[in-house]
Every structure is written in structure tokens, then in C-alpha cells.
Amino acid sequence: MTNDNPGQGWPSILSGSSPGSAHKTQPQILIPSERITARILELGAEISRDYHGRPLRLIGVLKGAWIFLADLIRAIDLEEVTVDFLGVATYGEAKQTSGEVRLTKDLDHSIEGVEVLLVEDILDTGLTFDFLLNVLRNRKPKSLRAVTLLDKASRRIRPVHADYVGFTIPDEFVVGFGLDFAQNFRQLPYIAVLR
Ligand code: PRP
């Protein structure tokens, strides 16, 4: 889908910490949906090759990763792929991370002895990722890898990396394809920048 005027038809929102500093902001396309689709197909093919003949459990991190996961699982060509979800909260209703990570939903199934691929929408400071990798490692999976649609590598606080990366992006606040600002914009079919 191509949209030369991405803001049109989508909600404007207010940003700024006080009424005096508030200004209207609208999403500007950073990665169009066609590029996302093509990259997810590539990631799916790579994951299918790497896990050929082995059962795989995808663990999506709610809420941001569910749209990416929905497309990724359909791009994976393996006989046995199962899904589970973790809920995590890091950001509040603002553009800054609070630095606090907490589980809002645990897995439904044990991962002991299971080949696990953690599915994230974005790897930013790495605080969430670091927290989740520790939580999951303690549950003794057979293997543990991670895929992220977006990697904001320049913002890393913790020395973590994903085994599969869709796109490395600059230090911009991005929304769309599952990513939100104050719970809005997750529905955008592209990745957009909010300034
Ligand atoms: C986002 C994203 C990652 C995390 C990455 O989640 O989904 O889980 O932030 O940031 P970090 O690398 O700086 O820890 P968010 O807390 O916005 O919640 P959401 O997935 O419900 O939108």
C-alpha cells in the first residue's frame, strides 16, 4: 500500500509535557509496507532454513510484537511451529522509557527443552530484551534466539543483540506495525516517525 500523505485519515495527537509546549504531530513514513512484507518473507525463509526439521516455539512479546508475529509465522515453512505470548510493559504514556520492566502476562506453556525464538517489534535500550532473556534462560529452553523487526542499535544501554533483525533504524520515535504512542498508531501498515 502506498500512501503519499500518511497523516491523512489517521488521528493527530498532542505531544509535549504541558499545554504551552504541546504541538500537533503526525506520522511520517519511514519504512513502507511493501518493504516490511519483503523483509519478513526473507526473515521467514532464513528462520525456516536454520530450524529445518526442528520444532520451533515462537514467543511474542505483547503488545507490540503481535502484528509482526502474525506475518512472520506465515512466512515460516516448518512442520511444527507453536506460539505463546509474554506481556511486558516498559514505556508509560510518554516517549521516554521509564527504565522499569515488568511482566504483565506470563507464558501459558513450559519452554523446558523447547527451541524458542523470542519475537520483538523493537530492540531499543535493550532493557526489556535483557530482562526477558534472563527470564527465559532460567526456564531451561533447548535453545533461545531472538528476532526483532526493528533495531534501534544506537540507543543500547545493555549489551544485547537479536539473532535476526528486520531493519536497523535511526534514533527516531517510531510507530505503526504494532508499535504505539500512548496506545495509538499500532494499526498503521507501515513504520512511521513521530516528531
Ligand atoms: C516496547 C517494545 C519492546 C520494548 C523495547 O514495548 O515492544 O518490548 O519497548 O524497548 P527497550 O529495548 O528500550 O527495553 P512497550 O513497553 O512500548 O510496550 P508495548 O509492546 O505494549 O507497546
Side-chain angles (χ1 to χ4, degrees):
M1 181 178 115
T2 303
N3 184 349
D4 292 334
N5 189 2
Q8 198 169 43
W10 302 110
S12 295
I13 55 172
L14 289 174
S15 68
S17 55
S18 67
S21 67
H23 60 274
K24 291 262 187 187
T25 178
Q26 288 194 327
Q28 302 292 319
I29 292 181
L30 179 68
I31 309 173
S33 58
E34 297 87 345
R35 281 189 65 205
I36 300 173
T37 302
R39 186 66 188 123
I40 291 176
L41 289 175
E42 288 175 356
L43 288 172
E46 199 182 337
I47 291 164
S48 305
R49 277 195 302 275
D50 291 353
Y51 288 90
H52 179 73
R54 294 148 57 189
L56 178 63
R57 171 84 42 86
L58 300 183
I59 294 184
V61 184
L62 298 171
K63 307 185 185 98
W66 62 277
I67 291 180
F68 172 44
L69 189 149
D71 282 1
L72 182 67
I73 194 168
R74 286 176 288 178
I76 292 176
D77 183 18
L78 291 173
E79 272 188 25
E80 239 183 289
V81 188
T82 53
V83 181
D84 206 342
F85 291 94
L86 276 172
V88 183
T90 46
Y91 294 2
E93 299 294 306
K95 290 183 179 180
Q96 295 298 313
T97 177
S98 65
E100 181 194 338
V101 184
R102 59 192 170 88
L103 269 190
T104 56
K105 181 209 172 298
D106 206 341
L107 296 173
D108 290 335
H109 305 282
S110 165
I111 55 166
E112 191 170 341
V114 173
E115 305 234 41
V116 169
L117 183 62
L118 186 66
V119 182
E120 264 286 22
D121 53 341
I122 186 166
L123 180 48
D124 188 350
T125 64
L127 287 167
T128 307
F129 213 65
D130 196 36
F131 171 82
L132 287 179
L133 290 179
N134 282 323
V135 166
L136 296 179
R137 264 190 216 112
N138 284 335
R139 299 181 184 190
K140 302 186 173 31
K142 183 174 179 184
S143 70
L144 176 58
R145 285 184 175 178
V147 55
T148 185
L149 177 62
L150 304 176
D151 187 357
K152 215 189 267 186
S154 62
R155 291 249 309 160
R156 206 74 92 247
I157 291 174
R158 297 286 162 82
V160 290
H161 73 277
D163 302 277
Y164 307 92
V165 174
F167 301 93
T168 300
I169 60 166
D171 184 10
E172 299 273 10
F173 194 91
V174 287
V175 295
F177 221 83
L179 289 101
D180 74 307
F181 173 55
Q183 303 302 325
N184 285 301
F185 300 112
R186 294 191 197 273
Q187 79 279 22
L188 298 181
Y190 43 77
I191 300 294
V193 173
L194 282 188
R195 290 200 179 97

